[in-house]
Amino acid sequence: MALRIIIGLLLTVVAAAIAGRRLWYLYRLARSGQPAPERIEALKTHPGRGAETQLTEVIGQRKLLKWSVPGIAHALTFWGFIVLLLTIIEAYGDLFSKHFAIPLIGTWAWVGFAEDLFAVGVLAGIGTFAIIRLRTDPRREGRRSRFSGSHTGAAWLVLLGIFGVIATLLIYRGAQINTGDFPYPHGAFASQLVGHWLHPLGRSANSGIETAFILAQLAVILGFGIFVTYSKHLHIAIAPVNVLFSRRPNGLGPLQPMRSNGKVLDFEEADPDTDVFGLGKIEDLSWKGMLDLGTCTECGRCQSQCPAWATGKPLSPKMLILDLRDHAFAKAPYLLAADGAARDKLPDSVKSEAERPLVGDSAATGVIDPDVLWSCTNCGACVEECPVDIEHIDHITGMRRYQVLVESAFPAEAATMLKNLENKGNPWGMGEAKRAEWITELDFEVPVIQDKIPANTEYLFWVGCAGALEDRAKKTTKAIAELLHTAGVSFAVLGPAEACTGDPARRMGNEFVYSMLAQQNIETLNEAGARKIIASCPHCFNTIAREYPQLGGDYEVIHHTQLLARLVEEGKLKPVNPIEEKITYHDPCFLGRHNRVFTPPREIMEQVPGVKAQEMHRCKERGFCCGAGGARMWMEERIGKRINTERIDEALGTDPDTISTGCPFCLVMLGDAVSAKKGSGEAKESLEVVDVAQLLVRSVRPANPEG
Ligand code: SF4
Ligand code: SF4
């Protein structure tokens, strides 16, 4: 008895020392990041949110359960380990007394039953994981496997470790039944089964097995505990913390303002010597960013949904996080060194790692290859899928900001767009007067705001650069104006006084040009007295509704599909003319995933008589990008398959007569891909890409079949 106490306690002290030292090291590494006072502030302002997220995301496993089979397997394992905390208490108690039982509940049959039920649940969970891993083995599946690039060896070790925990548990409990030391008279069905198998060995052998396997159980748990702190399974310890401090409701929608030393950067007062301009070094990440890196479970859910990865580009959001994490660990001795003298004594390998730029001319010199960085469309699929709330877009934007603002290193073709934004206020560099030309093509008046929004005018219609200047998008603009006019909604436009919201500049990383345009627009909107705004472009919608408040611009913004769906519901618009077509709707990322507007466009289509709506496989939260976001619209797509072509291939799988959407950029990207497909004979000549507003106007007003 004394020996088993000594061995058990010795194992515990050694394991606690090793794991504790490692956790302290990890804590110091996270603290070497920049301050993030806004994360603490957010929790203080909404104290209930912390508990809510722990309940839904951690205990409830909400995001994991979105993938039913692996989600249930993970939930069984996670919930199992929570219940099995009771068995750890029992194992320690058994060290000291063979007849130990947890006070009060320790002999209740249903507790013994629950422990065994969850032990079996964990076995079922890890069995499922093993099958999933075998079926999606990256050695066979290559890029198609979500585990491609993950540390698969460590994952198998973890599964083995968990199996060890459950196997030793059931064996010592079975032996206890035969020695009369088991606290539960009934209920522990799995332990009883194992006890039945061990019974023929006799009481004395069972007594030896009991002692050996109690110690084995503790050794496996403690060994697993150490392994966790050194492996990707660190997420067991830090995922709840990462989720607690993550952006709510998620890391989608608005980009965060640029911060330096924890404060929002003011370009007019910024000091190039002391201020941080984006992410140039790993220690420019905030502690929350560092936490993100340590939390990644390498599950590859993000990678499996990334349009860049799916079309053969080098960007995988998972590998981007893993590369940053590996670099952070390799540079850690440098970051944690007490002073310059201590740094001088570090091995050359650490010093050269410390010198590596975050983004380099090539993967050989930089941690992240420029082709990886610039492949991102900001579609948000990675953030949406990540079960531990890693905020990939924030990291990508941080690195882009440094590249653009400090290094002036970005795809050359995007330079023209930036210059046009600065000089002309739109990405195409067209004259401002052109912004009002579409109005002259209507047969009714649209008031253009000269100074103040006219009295009794409810909405300011924010047309957007594409909506005003791009020929295909102009058709949507005219359709919306006509529908508003028909429904008797009063609205006015800014015309030449409207400038780009700054979204493409911001998504490229040029926060300076973005804030210049944003401030100018906020001034214009405030002077006009605008309060309620209709946006037809989801990028404008996202920027005005969710990013302008960061600069003091607060407006009530509605997307045109939301307003039109409401007008149809209220009977102010009556779709009466049938459109006998099979139509598939493409969710724009910045309308759907980033801003959760999924239903209104579909409701509009439902109300148009004759329309047969057909969903693509990747739709709603899992919608697949058109390739234009993240300022990719303004960059060449040189690597892999074109994203818009991939999307159209999927759309063609539904054999549509028409493809509808709710974004001018999607309209252009998908339209281009359809034209190419028509050229190659893969799509029928009559196939069209239209905005849902164009569909609606056709049904409401038969005299204008062109929309
Ligand atoms: S935002 Fe989209 S394109 Fe960018 S890394 Fe995430 S999934 Fe890939
Ligand atoms: S970033 Fe998130 S989704 Fe991607 S591999 Fe890591 S944990 Fe999984």
Side-chain angles (χ1 to χ4, degrees), residues 75-109:
L76 282 175
T77 314
F78 174 78
W79 293 330
F81 268 87
I82 291 183
V83 173
L84 294 179
L85 286 176
L86 289 175
T87 65
I88 297 177
I89 297 172
E90 286 170 347
Y92 271 104
D94 287 336
L95 275 185
F96 296 92
S97 160
K98 276 178 167 274
H99 303 292
F100 175 81
I102 296 173
L104 212 65
I105 60 167
T107 54
W108 294 358

Side-chain angles (χ1 to χ4, degrees), residues 258 397 400-401 404-405 504-512:
M258 266 178 80
T397 306
R400 285 185 174 187
R401 283 171 173 168
V404 172
L405 297 173
R506 190 171 214 203
R507 297 278 158 180
M508 248 201 85
N510 199 328
E511 190 74 0
F512 179 75

Side-chain angles (χ1 to χ4, degrees), residues 302-303 305-309 315-318 320 375-383 392-393 396 400 593-594 625 643:
C302 55
Q303 179 174 290
Q305 302 298 310
C306 175
W309 182 257
L315 166 64
S316 148
K318 172 184 74 181
L320 179 126
S375 289
C376 177
T377 66
N378 277 208
C379 73
C382 49
V383 179
H392 313 71
I393 294 180
I396 288 169
R400 285 185 174 187
R593 203 159 29 231
H594 281 278
C625 184
I643 293 176

Side-chain angles (χ1 to χ4, degrees), residues 13 19 89 109 118 165 203 209 258 421 471 487 523 538 581 630:
V13 170
I89 297 172
F118 278 94
V165 171
R203 189 185 166 90
I209 292 172
M258 266 178 80
L421 286 184
D471 284 342
E523 211 170 290
E581 289 181 9

